[in-house]
Amino acid sequence: MISFQNVSVRYPLGNVALEDATFEIEDNEFVYLVGPSGAGKTTILRLILHDLIPTEGVVTIDDIEFSSKKFNKVAELRQKIGVVFQDFKILADDSVFENIAISMEIKGYPENEIRKQVEEALSLTGISNKKMLFPAQLSAGELQRVAIARAIVGNRKIILADEPTGNLDPKTAWDIMNIFKKLGKSKTILFATHNTDIVNSMRRRVLVLKDGRITKDNKKGGYKQ
Ligand SMILES: Nc1ncnc2c1ncn2[C@@H]1O[C@H](COP(=O)(O)OP(=O)(O)O)[C@@H](O)[C@H]1O
Ligand SMILES: [Mg+2]
């Protein structure tokens, strides 16, 4: 479970990125984070990654508090989390297979386990036939599939997606959404977006942010601007 208790992030010049956010997310829950640009969506994702420390409040995952500067198990924490970005962040000089396998290789997983998990992720994202290709040979939608496959291998239980369909045409965005739908059965997913159609395509919990405040927590899903 992910828990935020009265979490605020304020920058030195008075910029407020998040103000008094309190919410809990259960294991295998799917949550949309919505709100206009600057609302605080990325800030929430960065706090979960311990990429940012709150000015006030407490962030915990599975009852481990890691919101203090002293937290020293960042690598262990991140091992649970996969991240998907709007701009894919795929390594240009590595093949699709290698891009997906790399985190497991660094972690020292055995070769056969890496192969097994990468093949599963390729199949789930529908790119098994692309595994020997290089990023320059892929479309934007295919690159995002590689990024999703990379985010799930290594037994990750939480997936943070930061506007993953932001650079895709509507049809491709829909295909990517369907992959997240499948993933939602076995992983906790936080999906930041400002695309109302995407949010309403699948009835899942919606946290609405505005100017750093959570203005709505709609457990039944659906969102009107
Ligand atoms: N490093 C920073 N310094 C100052 N302000 C920042 C910094 N990072 C983000 N912010 C501010 O925090 C607010 C929330 O940003 P962010 O979480 O990126 O919003 P979103 O992802 O919803 O577009 C914005 O007003 C932004 O300008
Ligand atoms: Mg953002």
Side-chain angles (χ1 to χ4, degrees):
M1 188 176 77
I2 300 170
S3 158
F4 276 53
Q5 291 296 322
N6 306 105
V7 177
S8 298
V9 175
R10 299 187 200 99
Y11 288 101
L13 295 176
N15 234 351
V16 176
L18 196 64
E19 186 66 34
D20 200 21
T22 296
F23 60 87
E24 286 178 350
I25 297 174
E26 302 293 336
D27 287 352
N28 297 347
E29 198 172 356
F30 189 117
V31 182
Y32 287 112
L33 291 177
V34 307
S37 188
K41 305 181 293 296
T42 299
T43 299
I44 288 182
L45 303 182
R46 288 184 63 202
L47 286 163
I48 293 171
L49 273 174
H50 196 76
D51 186 31
L52 190 65
I53 312 247
T55 322
E56 274 171 37
V58 176
V59 180
T60 60
I61 295 183
D62 300 338
D63 294 326
I64 297 165
E65 182 192 337
F66 59 92
S67 43
S68 96
K69 277 199 185 105
K70 282 181 261 162
F71 181 74
N72 61 4
K73 291 185 178 159
V74 178
E76 212 173 292
L77 167 80
R78 290 189 185 156
Q79 203 48 47
K80 296 183 182 184
I81 304 174
V83 190
V84 180
F85 301 96
Q86 179 171 1
D87 59 353
F88 323 132
K89 301 205 195 295
I90 300 299
L91 302 172
D93 296 333
D94 287 336
S95 70
V96 166
F97 187 97
E98 198 52 35
N99 263 283
I100 301 169
I102 196 159
S103 71
M104 290 183 78
E105 286 167 355
I106 291 169
K107 196 83 212 315
Y109 276 89
E111 191 77 21
N112 59 345
E113 182 62 22
I114 296 175
R115 189 156 293 279
K116 176 171 163 279
Q117 288 203 26
V118 173
E119 293 290 351
E120 276 170 16
L122 283 162
S123 156
L124 186 125
T125 51
I127 47 170
S128 298
N129 58 345
K130 311 277 180 191
K131 68 182 168 190
M132 299 323 286
L133 297 184
F134 283 79
Q137 300 169 295
L138 302 181
S139 69
E142 287 162 351
L143 288 170
Q144 197 56 304
R145 288 167 192 262
V146 177
I148 297 169
R150 177 187 58 189
I152 58 181
V153 298
N155 309 313
R156 290 170 208 265
K157 48 183 279 190
I158 298 170
I159 306 294
L160 308 178
D162 200 352
E163 310 207 24
T165 60
N167 279 348
L168 305 174
D169 63 73
K171 155 83 174 71
T172 309
W174 181 249
D175 294 341
I176 293 297
M177 203 50 233
N178 278 327
I179 298 173
F180 277 97
K181 206 168 174 175
K182 281 194 270 180
L183 280 183
K185 296 199 173 103
S186 57
K187 307 212 182 281
T188 306
I189 298 180
L190 273 85
F191 191 108
T193 181
H194 49 231
N195 183 329
T196 321
D197 291 341
I198 291 267
V199 176
N200 289 320
S201 72
M202 188 170 79
R203 291 264 158 177
R204 291 292 187 279
R205 182 176 173 193
V206 183
L207 280 180
V208 183
L209 286 151
K210 188 162 184 280
D211 299 332
R213 285 190 178 273
I214 295 176
T215 56
K216 207 180 271 177
D217 183 354
N218 184 356
K219 299 229 162 53
K220 294 209 185 86
Y223 170 58
K224 281 199 205 88
Q225 219 145 17

